[in-house]
Amino acid sequence: MEVFSLLLALCVWWSRTWDAANADSIIHIGAIFDESAKKDDEVFRTAVGDLNQNEEILQTEKITFSVTFVDGNNPFQAVQEACELMNQGILALVSSIGCTSAGSLQSLADAMHIPHLFIQRSTAGTPRSGCGLTRSNRNDDYTLAVRPPVYLNDVILRVVTEYAWQKFIIFYDSEYDIRGIQEFLDKVSQQGMDVALQKVENNINKMITTLFDTMRIEELNRYRDTLRRAILVMNPATAKSFISEVVETNLVAFDCHWIIINEEINDVDVQELVRRSIGRLTIIRQTFPVPQNISQRCFRGNHRISSTLCDPKDPFAQNMEISNLYVYDTVLLLANAFHKKLEDRKWHSMASLSCIRKNSKPWQGGRSMLETIKKGGVNGLTGELEFAENGGNPNVHFEILGTNYGEELGRGARKLGCWNPVTGLNGSLTDKKLENNMRGVVLRVVTVLEEPFVMVSENVLGKPKKYQGFSIDVLDALSNYLGFNYEIYVAPDHKYGSPQEDGTWNGLVGELVFKRADIGISALTITPDRENVVDFTTRYMDYSVGVLLGRAEKTVDMFACLAPFDLSLWACIAGTVLLVGLLVYLLNWLNPPRLQMGSMTSTTLYNSMWFVYGSFVQQGGEVPYTTLATRMMMGAWWLFALIVISSYTANLAAFLTITRIESSIQSLQDLSKQTDIPYGTVLDSAVYEHVRMKGLNPFERDSMYSQMWRMINRSNGSENNVLESQAGIQKVKYGNYAFVWDAAVLEYVAINDPDCSFYTIGNTVADRGYGIALQHGSPYRDVFSQRILELQQSGDMDILKHKWWPKNGQCDLYSSVDTKQKGGALDIKSFAGVFCILAAGIVLSCFIAMLETWWNKRKGSRVPSKEASSLQNETTIPERRNVWPLKPCLKLGSNTWRTTSSSHGLHQSAQLGGPLDDP
């Protein structure tokens, strides 16, 4: 600090000594520079030296000057130093200071009629804000703004509009006056853009560390998402440090796009900013025309500029500030104005002015000198320097440089366009996405085994595992199109991931959060909680919750033939047969039928029962009953038998061809309403959290979720839930259990089960989807999403789905019983009961036959003789007998009438052809 003060004192002493030595010159100008504007002083002296050597402009006259340094934030000091310069007698005042002191110098110049050429200077290269100098059309305005107005608001607005940004953050350094972009903020607010502001402290490292200490992971990831689009309004040095810090701490990713706007950015700054950044970078800076002819770079008309200022390879020229260029051109402009006054012989000698005394008079030649300066113009280091009627410099050009997306460092920037206040933007700006070519990129993929999304296809000792599945097919499709390679591994804890008590994540999501993997793929659903910490592509398959249940075992019913009628109905039918048989017997007993001559029949109760049964089973038989009452009874009975047998036949065909065993659970609502079958899901999974959130939400209209949550949360979730999906599937297969899980996974299990022992129910509304997870801020998200949409539009995604979920599987997904998709052929099980009845009848008949044989052998000696004697001695027919004994054979003429008595009824045969004779 002492050395700096010594150098400053020596510089002031040398300046005043030089001024005294040239006191006899008629051209004397004063300069006030900010204490930090040492280069302005150097360039100012260089410009005076170049012009004093140019005899074509001032001929034999020489420019003398007085320079003083002030604190830019001390207007009183600036005015005091300006008064001292005016007391020395100056033709013009050149100032390179900030806005704080500019207004005071403007008022002083207007009062003393001294032309004041103001060069706005910002501290440490920070972007300028408008000074707000009061302008009027009156003749007492003696301040000319050498630097053009601040157009940062207009340039930023046009660039952001071209890029179609809707959400971004603006970073500004501590030296910048944020009021400088108030106009821009008002306009973007009117257009509905979401803009955030953040001040960058001087200690950037401490600022970033504080962010990591105070923010949770979810908040930090949301902050990362905000940083994808950002505008940096700061000096180049701060911008370099800030970019380096956020890149090293992984706050930005390769798909970020930042805009840096500052007039004070030179070529060296551009190279360094591009080298340190990742993603896409757009740089907006003020630019000046450069002669195409290299030999003419240091010549402006008849004036030659010092090579240290015009040679691009010179270190001094490479690090020049914009204010330095305007200082040189200001001196050149004044020299040309002095030349014009000398030529016109309208020179007004300078006078020593005192601005302290009340009765001091302004310079009489001030107005004439001001008009000469305003009407003049030069072509200098900044291009055309001239003034408009309002005293401002209208000539300004902005250059827009940019890089492409990508992570490679050291890439170059190319010119994207330019802007000026007259023609506006010249060039096309588009916020292009990451290039599709990812060849050479190797991604680390984390997964969780879940059929049929990810499965191990080959596991050879000593070699990497190979995987297959629907998600692997999707990943391969992306890899083949984009050209990247991948290395895949299973999450250490075999979980998808859930937040822990300390705010961290485990499982697949945790691998992405801690940057151990680039992407994660499996049966991973897109949920709000997960999207807070990782990025997701667009869904590549719809997701819904399903339930896996075991099929009802089809028991062998040997008496399926009896299924068409209920047991009570069979009992009623059997009772009806007995009742009708008894009624027929009683009717015939009360009113014996009149039979034809020579006909004999039996009307025993046994025969009546047998006749009624025979007619019921549609076996027919002789009608031995001729009374009207009996016929009416039999007519009603035959109609009854017809209806019963027809109904039985129709229902029997339906029961033997269509299984009518149905489950009572056909939807999630049915599952939630019952408690006989316990159900659960994977603990701490997305399904578990989905049911929990819905079940505990007091505003949820559907009570289904609250009922499901009560079952799932029994014993804090340990009773009915499992740790892995495979455990839940096995629990359904070998027990009374229902497994709530991803419908796609359950459908695959049900289709491919060799025993077809599962069926599924589910929700047909897909409220979520499966997506590929990436690190927060990953540059591959948009590229992957675009390719997934192309696969869906072309139908290739459906082809991949049908590979793992075929339409015509071997098992029926939605039937609660084992129904193979074959024809309706009947099997032996359907007729086992019929065969059993037949076998029972055969066995019973054989048993009765043996009894009859035994009985006949025992009574054989007496029964035949009695029958024979009775047949021979019987000559009259009793009036009331139930048995009509007949002769075995009666021969009547040429015709024969034969009647045979049997235990089953009467059988008559007659050979017709002649009259029936009486024996």
Side-chain angles (χ1 to χ4, degrees), residues 157 160-161 165-166 168 181-195:
L157 181 62
V160 169
T161 304
W165 285 10
Q166 293 298 322
F168 54 90
I181 58 171
Q182 186 61 50
E183 181 182 352
F184 167 74
L185 295 176
D186 294 339
K187 290 182 178 179
V188 296
S189 177
Q190 295 173 2
Q191 296 180 13
M193 298 182 187
D194 186 2
V195 184

Side-chain angles (χ1 to χ4, degrees), residues 128-130 153 172 176-185:
R128 294 187 301 153
S129 297
N153 289 284
Y172 62 96
Y176 181 70
D177 186 359
I178 193 62
R179 293 174 296 179
I181 58 171
Q182 186 61 50
E183 181 182 352
F184 167 74
L185 295 176

